[in-house]
């Protein structure tokens, strides 16, 4: 028997937009509009910008939630297949290792 253990990370994201007289003010407004409890800022992109300098920015944050994951199979290949197949929707594998007894 082969056991694989690893860690999964949520793929949940949240986003918010903010506008301001310049790009820095818009960025600040967008980031402040995000609820970052359990999330980390991933990216900030300008959505629109006018000749007057007024800008709208979108900020995106990704969940920091992780959880352990484990699968077992007769061989390494079977355990790997079981590990991958049992990852729930909305989650992705971050790492994996073989556990030897």
């Amino acid at each position: 028997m082969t056991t694989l253990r690893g860690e999964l990370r949520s793929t949940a994201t949240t986003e918010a937009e903010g506008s301001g007289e310049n790009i820095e003010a818009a960025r600040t407004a967008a980031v402040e509009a995000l609820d970052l409890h359990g999330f980390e800022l991933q990216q900030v992109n300008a959505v629109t910008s006018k000749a007057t300098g007024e800008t709208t920015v979108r900020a995106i944050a990704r969940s920091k939630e992780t959880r352990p994951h484990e699968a077992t199979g007769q061989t390494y290949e079977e355990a790997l297949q079981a590990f991958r197949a049992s990852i729930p929707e909305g989650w992705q594998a971050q790492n994996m290792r073989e556990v030897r007894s």
Side-chain angles (χ1 to χ4, degrees):
M1 286 298 253
T2 300
T3 299
L4 299 178
R5 287 190 186 138
E7 186 174 60
L8 302 182
R9 180 177 186 153
S10 172
T11 60
T13 61
T14 185
E15 61 183 63
E17 286 190 1
S19 296
E21 294 179 2
N22 56 51
I23 196 159
E24 191 57 39
R27 182 185 194 286
T28 299
V31 172
E32 286 177 353
L34 284 174
D35 178 9
L36 291 176
H37 182 71
F39 286 80
E40 63 186 353
L41 185 62
Q42 194 66 34
Q43 66 185 48
V44 179
N45 298 320
V47 177
T48 61
S49 186
K50 297 180 181 177
T52 61
E54 186 179 340
T55 304
T56 300
V57 167
R58 178 177 298 125
I60 302 172
R62 180 173 72 175
S63 174
K64 294 191 287 185
E65 184 178 3
T66 61
R67 67 183 191 194
H69 190 65
E70 183 175 302
T72 302
Q74 291 296 323
T75 64
Y76 177 85
E77 289 75 21
E78 288 178 9
L80 180 59
Q81 185 177 9
F83 187 93
R84 289 179 174 161
S86 62
I87 297 172
E89 188 174 326
W91 293 83
Q92 63 184 188
Q94 292 297 293
N95 59 59
M96 177 186 60
R97 66 189 179 287
E98 183 178 4
V99 179
R100 297 181 187 224
S101 321

